[in-house]
Amino acid sequence: MRKKIVVGNWKMNKTVAEAGELASTVLEQLGNGITGCEVGISPAFPALAEVGKIIERSDIHLVAQNCHYEDDGAYTGEVSVRMLGSLGCSYVIIGHSERRQYFGETNQTVNLRVRKALAGGMRVIMCVGETLEEREGGVTDRIVTEQVREGLKEVSDLDGVVLAYEPVWAIGTGKTATPEQAEEVHASIRATIDDMFGETAAGHLRIQYGGSVKPSNAGELFAKPNIDGGLIGGASLKAEDFVAIVKAAGDS
Ligand code: PEP
């Protein structure tokens, strides 16, 4: 059975002090309540060290929002896997749609980052998802399959991999995919994974859903057999909402 995983993506929000406060509140509200669910929080780079200290003795994972695909060198503004590891990060989000949309991330650069992170002992959350235009054009399946195949090209072991299906039209818009819409894409991703890695591979792979998950819709999404938790943006900036979503995952 796959353990659910819920990760809060704080994006470009919170100063170091504010991120520390939010992390402390999440920790306090979760208490010993993390059962049946893995939990991570992903502050912006400047707050990783501070948040890392606060959650150090807990089961909460420190998650980075991106990493570069080179070890070091003249890449102004970039952050390497080794740097993230030295801060205590155990996961890194790769290929978030905002990276693809605003920063020129492609399936090829996503693949480079995924391979570099895994080689450096970091687990990855690789994001995939279609735009509204692609969904309305009936090409969701083709786009998502391509993102999965190209993003995981030459990856030999899925052990450190989590996927996040995040329809772009549902991110930060308040529009959530229905549990049935999300389930359909998750099932199709599993078929792609089995095709790429062998028949039983997808049975072990966790696939999160992301896109306007809130306490009010988390339960029904996480109840679907192919949805293994969530990548949470807006709602993760409010400790009570994030904790309620974690609890919904633990209960489902
Ligand atoms: C995200 O950023 O990954 C996300 C799903 O955002 P939101 O929950 O705000 O839609």
Side-chain angles (χ1 to χ4, degrees):
M1 184 158 148
R2 299 180 298 267
K3 193 172 191 180
K4 294 232 173 4
I5 173 165
V6 174
V7 172
N9 173 15
W10 295 356
K11 311 192 187 194
M12 196 178 73
N13 291 294
K14 308 284 176 194
T15 62
V16 173
E18 289 164 353
E21 261 173 54
L22 178 56
S24 301
T25 313
V26 167
L27 190 58
E28 197 182 291
Q29 293 193 3
L30 274 177
N32 294 325
I34 315 182
T35 46
C37 178
E38 225 178 293
V39 181
I41 49 182
S42 188
F45 290 139
L48 281 171
E50 176 70 10
V51 170
K53 267 188 261 155
I54 292 165
I55 60 175
E56 197 172 29
R57 287 177 208 289
S58 76
D59 291 331
I60 303 176
H61 293 285
L62 186 63
V63 181
Q65 295 179 16
N66 191 20
C67 67
H68 194 52
Y69 48 79
E70 294 292 348
D71 290 324
D72 42 46
Y75 300 100
T76 303
E78 292 293 333
V79 174
S80 74
V81 172
R82 206 159 66 92
M83 291 170 190
L84 297 174
S86 72
L87 286 166
C89 293
S90 46
Y91 279 92
V92 56
I93 298 169
I94 296 178
H96 190 281
S97 68
E98 287 150 15
R99 302 290 321 164
R100 295 176 189 259
Q101 199 177 347
Y102 306 129
F103 302 101
E105 196 80 71
T106 64
N107 288 337
Q108 287 67 40
T109 57
V110 166
N111 178 248
L112 289 172
R113 289 178 214 279
V114 165
R115 281 159 48 202
K116 180 56 74 176
L118 292 172
M122 186 82 55
R123 284 171 271 182
V124 306
I125 297 172
M126 188 183 93
C127 304
V128 298
E130 82 288 0
T131 62
L132 185 58
E133 210 182 356
E134 289 162 347
R135 174 158 284 265
E136 288 176 348
V139 293
T140 297
D141 206 45
R142 177 169 67 71
I143 294 295
V144 172
T145 301
E146 218 168 82
Q147 289 170 335
V148 171
R149 283 194 180 277
E150 292 184 19
L152 295 179
K153 206 174 193 163
E154 288 173 42
V155 168
S156 51
D157 189 349
L158 286 177
D159 254 7
V161 177
V162 171
L163 295 183
Y165 167 58
E166 301 205 298
V168 180
W169 48 272
I171 297 179
T173 58
K175 286 185 197 150
T176 319
T178 63
E180 292 68 31
Q181 281 174 321
E183 173 68 7
E184 189 184 345
V185 180
H186 282 230
S188 152
I189 292 173
R190 284 199 201 284
T192 304
I193 292 293
D194 278 346
D195 190 46
M196 288 176 76
F197 293 91
E199 248 177 53
T200 55
H204 305 287
L205 177 76
R206 290 176 300 174
I207 310 176
Q208 301 175 301
Y209 168 77
S212 300
V213 177
K214 307 179 267 286
S216 58
N217 59 22
E220 52 174 2
L221 284 160
F222 299 161
K224 289 290 177 193
N226 283 298
I227 301 182
D228 306 314
L231 184 55
I232 318 299
S236 69
L237 295 170
K238 249 180 102 186
E240 309 82 82
D241 287 359
F242 183 64
V243 168
I245 292 168
V246 168
K247 292 193 170 149
D251 292 344
S252 64

